[in-house]
Every structure is written in structure tokens, then in C-alpha cells.
Amino acid sequence: MTAPRPAAPLNRPQPRSVRAAGLAALLLTGAAHAASPQAPTTPATVTGATCPADWRDLDPADLRAAQITATRLTFTDARGTDSRATAQRGALLLQGPATGGRRCSYFVPPSGMPDRVTRGFVLDTQVRAVPPTTELGGTWVRDANTGLTLTRADSGHWTLTGSLTAALPDGSVSSANLNGPLRHDANRWTYRDGRCEAQLHVVGNWLVAADNGRCAAPDVTFGGLYHHVR
């Protein structure tokens, strides 16, 4: 009686030439995939975001100063669509926080306030950030009627003095003064005197001030952007 023939193995080894050809094909496929160009990254659309006409609607702690590095910059809306507002290389901007590679930005003329018209979203690649100044001592001016002076004593403590004059709707004139210690708290400086509280944020070469509305007459504030004059 003839013995049954053993079954063929399920995974028969392939000839060496077949294995080599398969490996070569795999390596060529991987090299072609690695060499294929990557699609450029496009900044995301800032859905629902707006750039308010009044820059003071932004959180002072989120602000930064920047200088335009592009030859000519055109402000856009949140979707990246160009507007009519433009600015040239070297101009200074006050900017909000980054969202999708863009920032709500305001053109700031020399010794002026952020522009309500020349504003919009700007790509981070079109500007460079301006680091906070370390020259805090001296006089800072918001306008012809409002100024602050920061003084550092030999002990290292800082003092804030300030004055404000404003015309009221009824035709009268309101004036207010600040005079007291200035304390550093995290990323801001704080002044307190009775019911009045004011905060100063160093933003590039500017000071951004905000108060609680109790440092002067109602609807009169020390808040705003200050330029260093001396």
C-alpha cells in the first residue's frame, strides 16, 4: 500500500530573486512619496472674528506691538479678503492675540492713537514683534491734556503721578490727579488709591493704561495709549 504524500506547506518560501524585486519596488515607492512636495500651509479663516473699531475693546494683557516688514501691507478681514486699508514697511502696529496665523491690527502714527480706519487682520509673517521697552522712567503722554510720570526711587520702588483735564458734556471742565506707589504684578503695573485703581501694560515702546472708572469724573478715564516723551 502506498503511503500518502505529505501536504505542501502553506507558506512556501519565495525564490531570492522574487524577494529582492519586491523589496526594490517598496523602496522606490517610499522614495517617491518622500520626494512629493507638501501643500503650502494656508492660515486658517478666523470664523466669526471681528476687528473692533475701538482697540480698547481688546484685553490689554493680550496686546503687542509690531513693525511691518513687508514692502506694502494690505489689511484683510477675518477670511483673508483684502480691504482698502494699507500701510508701508516700518510702520508700527498695535495688535491683538493671534488666531489662525492672523492678528487684529491697528496702524499707530507717530505720537498718535491707533487708527480706527487703518485696521484689520494681518499675517504674522508680514511683521516682527517689538519687545517691551525697559525704559519706563520719565513722562508718558496720551494727548495734550493727559500725562503720566513714572519715577523710580533709589530703593527700587516706583511712584506714579498723573494729571488729566477733560471737557464734560455740560460745558464744565473736570480734572483729576494720580499720586502714589506703583506695584508690579505679573505682567502689569498696578496703582491703587482709595476707590481708584489703574493698570499699566508695557506694549512695545508704549504704555497702555486702563482704570476702573473711579479715578476721575464719570465717563472720564486715564485709559489709553501713551507715548514716552522724556
Side-chain angles (χ1 to χ4, degrees):
M1 182 174 183
T2 305
R5 184 176 298 178
L10 296 177
N11 296 315
R12 178 178 296 176
Q14 293 180 336
R16 182 177 299 176
S17 60
V18 175
R19 295 200 305 269
L23 179 60
L26 180 63
L27 291 175
L28 288 174
T29 302
H33 178 74
S36 61
Q38 298 294 322
T41 301
T42 302
T45 297
V46 189
T47 305
T50 59
C51 203
D54 191 341
W55 65 272
R56 290 173 295 183
D57 290 339
L58 301 176
D59 187 339
D62 292 335
L63 298 176
R64 79 168 190 174
Q67 187 174 39
I68 298 174
T69 56
T71 302
R72 180 183 175 86
L73 182 148
T74 300
F75 295 83
T76 73
D77 62 14
R79 294 180 177 274
T81 303
D82 289 350
S83 69
R84 295 183 179 180
T86 62
Q88 302 298 324
R89 183 198 299 267
L92 293 177
L93 304 175
L94 182 66
Q95 298 189 302
T99 307
R102 294 184 176 90
R103 294 174 188 263
C104 175
S105 306
Y106 303 79
F107 167 69
V108 182
S111 301
M113 295 294 285
D115 196 327
R116 288 172 172 259
V117 175
T118 311
R119 75 179 198 277
F121 286 90
V122 169
L123 290 172
D124 281 345
T125 55
Q126 297 175 303
V127 302
R128 69 170 184 86
V130 177
T133 181
T134 57
E135 301 295 328
L136 299 179
T139 300
W140 298 77
V141 172
R142 184 186 71 182
D143 52 52
N145 299 312
T146 309
L148 304 172
T149 299
L150 279 65
T151 306
R152 185 177 183 181
D154 294 338
S155 62
H157 294 94
W158 287 85
T159 299
L160 173 67
T161 57
S163 62
L164 175 155
T165 302
L168 300 180
D170 62 4
S172 62
V173 175
S174 173
S175 61
N177 295 281
L178 305 177
N179 188 5
L182 191 61
R183 307 185 192 284
H184 191 256
D185 177 21
N187 62 342
R188 63 190 180 190
W189 296 83
T190 302
Y191 168 91
R192 291 188 181 92
D193 183 10
R195 300 175 60 201
C196 169
E197 179 176 333
Q199 295 175 352
L200 304 179
H201 298 261
V202 184
V203 181
N205 293 322
W206 305 309
L207 276 183
V208 173
D211 63 31
N212 61 355
R214 298 180 177 180
C215 300
D219 298 325
V220 177
T221 177
F222 279 92
L225 185 141
Y226 289 75
H227 296 263
H228 204 180
V229 294
R230 62 177 182 272

